[in-house]
Amino acid sequence: MGLTVTITDAGRAALRNAAGNGTNAVTIAAVGLSSQAFTPGAAIPAEIKRLTTISGGATAADTIHVTVLDSGDDDYSVYGFALYLSDGTLFASYGQSTVIVEKSAQAMMQLALDVRFVDVAASSISFGDANFMNPAATEDTLGVVKLASADDATSGTDNQKAITPQVLSGLLTPKINNLQSQLNTAVMTILPADDTVNTRINLFAVNDATGLPFVADAKGITRQLATVSWSSNLVGQEATARQSADQNLQNQVNVRIPSNPGTGFQSITNLTLSATGQPIFVGSGGGTTQGITTFSDAQTNQVLQIGYQYKGDYLSINVGGSWVYGATQSWVNNQIAVETKRASGVESGLQTQLNGAAMTLTVADDGTNQRAALVAINKAWNLPFITSAQNVGYHLVRTEPGAGFQAVTNFSLNAAGQPIFVGSGGGTTQGITTFNDAQTNQVLQIGYQYKGDYLSINVGGSWVYGATQNWVTGNFAGQQVDTNTFGVSKIGVSKQVGAGIQMLWTYGTDGVGRWCPISAPGNGFYFATNLTMGADGSLYALSSKDGATNGYAPSSYGTIAGGYYVRIGNILIQAFSAGVLSAGDSIAFPIAFSAAPVVSTTVDNNRDGANRPVAINPTVGTVTASGFKINIAAISGANQPAGTGQVWVFAMGPA
């Protein structure tokens, strides 16, 4: 079964001739392939490629066979296709939710389709490249045919597949063998030796004297057979005898049909059916009358009774138990005369209106008007439209004004996409459009609540309120705009910045958008007039008290080499083991400070070999943001040890 494509409006316009009373022949020059399902008749989405290696031709009054080749090295799946004319016009398209054909990079794609058009003659469509074509084979068209399977051959119901010698042999051989077996059985029946049931025939001949055939068996017994002429003679004799008996039987039947006519009527002496099944009555006066029959089917009720009501001059008919009325000739003639007179007056008025309409539709083109060539209704939009003689289409919008309103004589969009209305009074009105995006809901309805002096706006099914100019003027002195301050051109509330977070958003007259955090201080606190986050994650707040900017770094903690760190705001604290050291060794902070920190050191063994104490501390003047040098000194005559135990460092400073 062919795929039913949908012709686009542009395709139909290309088929329609300039006079609007016939079709043009069109040429299919290319086919576009789509990787996405879509509605037939629309422009195809996700077009994979457009191929000009396409051929085809009509195989039936409403069907063309289309063959498309693609020998490229790409791979794709096709869910729909579009047919393009030689001038690039989208003629027709077809799409479905399942894959039509798939192509791999290593294979050549040959797509053969039978395309069916519902209301367009296939003969009016040709193809630019007719060098290759693989239509379905028919009795009148050479083409591709599918081979029948053994099951197809056995069923014998498919008239579109061809049978191969192998399948034909498999079908006929068992039948031939069975026929041969039956033939052998028949021969054995004629030629067996004598047995208790059968006697063998020795002779089969014709007796010259009687002209009758006879057979002689092996026992010498002769049996005479009847000829056709002899049989016909006997049958003829039987037919004559039967005809006489039938006539006697008919006479008896006629006598036994009760017929009791009243005064002025005849008895029925014969009741018969004609060859067409109509009853035939023979009266006692000798006359023959042909009756009528009634019937019923799925659309017809049987007539049970029929009569004539002289007061209304019509027939009264009982059909299936209910009465209906039928017109007589005189009643019909009378009604036709009345209707003819009425129709004549209606036709006269209709002709006057038609002449006026025809003058409107067929007016010649001039400097002001264009002739209307076509008036129709767009199926997709259910809107009426008019096509001019210049093949330009105009959609019509219905307008039904109420009392106190004007009809809309023109409804258009300006270059900015805003609706323009022209009223029957001649005035032009510009409408507004609504939009929505990730941060904005579309306005569905808008009204004015006079009690509160504010707008009531339906956005996405929920109502919000908007301030009127009077309300704003009464509640605010106005915007502060000077050399250091921008005015606010837009203001709104974000739908969602983070999980469950909504923030005020303003758009300044400088064209920059700014987020406004909520600030609600308690007793003893000040508002934050500006809240910003730096690139390093630090938070900066501008105080409403003195205008000072205060920075707040984020708090964190974790492990470092040999120890741990803690960061609280802008303060960094590090505690770690530097290992076993000697005097003058350098120690680097695992995390560099922004300036030199405060450093304290200790050791797990601070005595010399004689168990006398020694001192360990940072060398004076060596502490920097990245590290310092260690100093180990003897105390009270102690000897400076060559090495100590593990040196521990505690440092705190600006992050």
Side-chain angles (χ1 to χ4, degrees):
M1 183 175 64
L3 300 177
T4 302
V5 301
T6 301
I7 301 176
T8 65
D9 291 345
R12 293 188 181 278
L15 281 170
R16 188 169 49 248
N17 62 15
N21 57 3
T23 59
N24 294 319
V26 296
T27 300
I28 304 297
V31 60
L33 306 179
S34 173
S35 62
Q36 181 178 322
F38 65 97
T39 302
I44 66 172
E47 183 170 337
I48 305 168
K49 61 192 323 181
R50 191 171 296 185
L51 301 171
T52 57
T53 51
I54 179 174
S55 181
T59 58
D62 62 346
T63 304
I64 61 174
H65 182 80
V66 181
T67 304
V68 182
L69 290 179
D70 184 10
S71 56
D73 58 355
D74 48 351
D75 57 87
Y76 49 80
S77 298
V78 177
Y79 286 82
F81 59 89
L83 302 178
Y84 294 93
L85 303 182
S86 54
D87 61 355
T89 298
L90 173 59
F91 178 71
S93 64
Y94 174 82
Q96 63 183 45
S97 60
T98 57
V99 174
I100 298 175
V101 68
E102 290 183 323
K103 180 187 178 301
S104 65
Q106 295 78 22
M108 179 181 71
M109 186 273 290
Q110 180 173 347
L111 177 61
L113 300 169
D114 287 320
V115 177
R116 182 172 177 267
F117 297 89
V118 175
D119 54 355
V120 174
S123 59
S124 63
I125 302 170
S126 61
F127 290 78
D129 184 3
N131 293 329
F132 61 93
M133 175 180 170
N134 292 316
T138 66
E139 294 179 357
D140 302 319
T141 305
L142 294 176
V144 178
V145 68
K146 188 175 182 180
L147 300 181
S149 65
D151 292 339
D152 294 332
T154 302
S155 66
T157 59
D158 195 328
N159 66 347
Q160 295 183 344
K161 297 179 182 178
I163 191 169
T164 63
Q166 180 184 16
V167 174
L168 182 61
S169 175
L171 178 66
L172 295 182
T173 298
K175 298 181 182 295
I176 293 174
N177 292 339
N178 184 51
L179 180 62
Q180 184 64 48
S181 176
Q182 296 180 28
L183 181 60
N184 292 339
T185 302
V187 172
M188 290 302 294
T189 302
I190 295 175
L191 299 177
D194 295 332
D195 53 35
T196 58
V197 179
N198 303 296
T199 301
R200 188 176 71 252
I201 295 175
N202 285 347
L203 178 64
F204 180 75
V206 177
N207 188 313
D208 291 335
T210 63
L212 297 176
F214 69 92
V215 293
D217 61 23
K219 297 178 180 180
I221 300 175
T222 302
R223 294 173 174 84
Q224 187 169 295
L225 308 177
T227 63
V228 174
S229 60
W230 181 84
S231 300
S232 298
N233 183 43
L234 291 180
V235 171
Q237 295 175 12
E238 178 65 20
T240 301
R242 180 60 59 190
Q243 182 177 7
S244 177
D246 289 346
Q247 184 61 49
N248 292 332
L249 180 62
Q250 182 65 53
N251 292 336
Q252 296 180 40
V253 170
N254 292 342
V255 173
R256 285 165 175 77
I257 296 179
S259 178
N260 299 312
T263 303
F265 293 88
Q266 299 179 21
S267 299
I268 295 176
T269 62
N270 194 323
L271 177 60
T272 314
L273 290 180
S274 67
T276 60
Q278 294 174 311
I280 296 176
F281 306 90
V282 178
S284 57
T288 300
T289 303
Q290 182 169 309
I292 61 172
T293 59
T294 66
F295 79 101
S296 62
D297 55 25
Q299 286 79 36
T300 310
N301 281 331
Q302 194 169 24
V303 174
L304 303 181
Q305 294 173 289
I306 186 169
Y308 171 66
Q309 295 190 9
Y310 64 90
K311 291 183 179 181
D313 191 25
Y314 50 76
L315 300 176
S316 183
I317 306 170
N318 184 348
V319 285
S322 60
W323 290 89
V324 297
Y325 299 120
T328 62
Q329 183 176 4
S330 59
W331 184 89
V332 171
N333 291 338
N334 181 52
Q335 294 299 316
I336 290 175
V338 173
E339 180 62 21
T340 301
K341 182 177 180 180
R342 187 194 68 80
S344 177
V346 173
E347 290 176 358
S348 177
L350 181 62
Q351 185 63 51
T352 302
Q353 297 179 30
L354 182 61
N355 292 341
M359 290 301 293
T360 302
L361 290 175
T362 59
V363 65
D365 297 330
D366 53 34
T368 304
N369 304 297
Q370 294 183 5
R371 180 168 51 85
L374 176 66
V375 179
I377 295 178
N378 186 304
K379 292 182 178 179
W381 301 334
N382 198 26
L383 289 176
F385 69 91
I386 297 177
T387 301
S388 69
Q390 287 73 25
N391 204 26
V392 178
Y394 303 89
H395 279 94
L396 309 179
V397 179
R398 186 174 64 186
T399 174
E400 297 178 348
F405 293 87
Q406 300 180 20
V408 176
T409 61
N410 193 318
F411 180 48
S412 308
L413 293 178
N414 62 15
Q418 295 173 313
I420 301 295
F421 304 89
V422 178
S424 56
T428 300
T429 302
Q430 180 170 308
I432 61 173
T433 59
T434 65
F435 79 101
N436 64 313
D437 55 25
Q439 287 78 38
T440 309
N441 280 331
Q442 193 169 21
V443 174
L444 304 182
Q445 294 173 288
I446 187 169
Y448 171 66
Q449 296 192 7
Y450 65 90
K451 291 183 178 180
D453 190 25
Y454 50 76
L455 300 176
S456 185
I457 306 169
N458 184 350
V459 286
S462 61
W463 289 90
V464 297
Y465 300 120
T468 63
Q469 184 177 3
N470 294 337
W471 186 89
V472 172
T473 303
N475 288 274
F476 298 95
Q479 294 192 59
Q480 175 67 31
V481 180
D482 53 33
T483 56
N484 299 317
T485 308
F486 292 109
V488 175
S489 61
K490 296 179 182 179
I491 186 169
V493 177
S494 68
K495 290 183 177 178
Q496 185 167 322
V497 176
I501 301 174
Q502 290 185 328
M503 297 183 67
L504 190 65
W505 177 84
T506 61
Y507 196 78
T509 55
D510 60 344
V512 178
R514 296 170 176 85
W515 295 104
C516 303
I518 300 173
S519 178
N523 293 331
F525 293 89
Y526 296 95
F527 283 97
T529 60
N530 193 324
L531 187 63
T532 309
M533 182 171 287
D536 61 348
S538 297
L539 195 63
Y540 297 92
L542 184 64
S543 173
S544 61
K545 177 184 179 183
D546 52 12
T549 299
N550 301 290
Y552 304 93
S555 298
S556 61
Y557 62 91
T559 60
I560 55 178
Y564 304 90
Y565 82 93
V566 175
R567 179 172 177 175
I568 304 174
N570 292 330
I571 302 301
L572 175 62
I573 301 173
Q574 300 182 62
F576 59 93
S577 171
V580 179
L581 302 174
S582 299
D585 288 345
S586 296
I587 299 176
F589 299 125
I591 301 176
F593 293 89
S594 61
V598 175
V599 180
S600 174
T601 58
T602 185
V603 66
D604 58 4
N605 182 15
N606 60 350
R607 292 185 177 272
D608 63 6
N611 198 25
R612 290 175 294 187
V614 295
I616 181 169
N617 55 273
T619 304
V620 177
T622 64
V623 178
T624 66
S626 59
F628 63 94
K629 287 185 177 182
I630 192 69
N631 176 48
I632 302 174
I635 301 176
S636 302
N639 296 319
Q640 179 175 318
T644 64
Q646 291 286 337
V647 176
W648 294 91
V649 179
F650 179 87
M652 181 173 64

